[in-house]
Amino acid sequence: MPSNKFTTLTNNLLRRHTSILLIQLRMGHVPLNHHLACIQKIDSPSCQGCGAHFETVYHYLLICPAYRFTRHLLELQLFSERLAVAIEHLLTNNKSLPHLFHFLNRTKKLKHIFGSLTPPTQAQPDPPRVAVHEA
């Protein structure tokens, strides 16, 4: 069963937000080059944006110079709400989530997989799940 903290954090999130935030970003199983190279989908784990040796979740969210301006906007938003700019806070703090989703949406890095990642308060509802019936 999910913990109370998990339930509270995901209660108002859409499936795609929950998927990227709690499963893929937290576990590092997001389609960034480091993970893609680990599962042998691409040859190099290097960041195409800046040439760093590994394009990890930490690198993408907090270091990569290719997203400097977008990260600066994220930092300003978090600072104005007195929230820490640290990976643990970005991925676990309910108040940080809208700002994180704005960052993800602005970078367009994951758009080809997830589509628009506007914060859940502004997002359209997830499409209904299609039931699969066995014949």
Side-chain angles (χ1 to χ4, degrees):
M1 298 299 290
S3 68
N4 287 338
K5 186 174 181 178
F6 176 87
T7 303
T8 301
L9 190 63
T10 61
N11 197 31
N12 295 319
L13 296 179
L14 302 174
R15 269 182 308 192
R16 68 179 174 265
H17 291 91
T18 302
S19 172
I20 190 166
L21 173 69
L22 295 172
I23 296 158
Q24 296 185 29
L25 286 172
R26 283 182 171 190
M27 294 180 70
H29 293 187
V30 65
L32 297 173
N33 289 348
H34 181 259
H35 176 66
L36 295 175
C38 285
I39 61 172
Q40 300 177 348
K41 294 294 182 185
I42 62 171
D43 293 329
S44 172
S46 298
C47 177
Q48 293 175 347
C50 71
H53 189 61
F54 293 114
E55 184 185 47
T56 61
V57 172
Y58 183 84
H59 173 80
Y60 167 59
L61 294 178
L62 299 177
I63 298 173
C64 186
Y67 304 111
R68 181 179 295 130
F69 178 75
T70 306
R71 186 176 311 100
H72 179 67
L73 294 175
L74 171 67
E75 290 167 353
L76 288 174
Q77 292 167 337
L78 293 174
F79 182 73
S80 71
E81 293 190 27
R82 296 188 173 130
L83 298 169
V85 182
I87 197 133
E88 1 3 282
H89 292 288
L90 287 174
L91 301 179
T92 62
N93 187 318
N94 230 356
K95 293 180 180 181
S96 298
L97 295 183
H99 306 298
L100 173 63
F101 289 123
H102 275 300
F103 174 84
L104 297 173
N105 211 38
R106 287 180 185 131
T107 65
K108 297 181 173 71
K109 178 75 178 166
L110 304 171
K111 186 174 182 165
H112 65 287
I113 303 286
F114 296 100
S116 175
L117 286 169
T118 53
T121 57
Q122 299 172 359
Q124 296 297 319
D126 278 331
R129 294 183 185 185
V130 177
V132 178
H133 300 285
E134 293 183 24

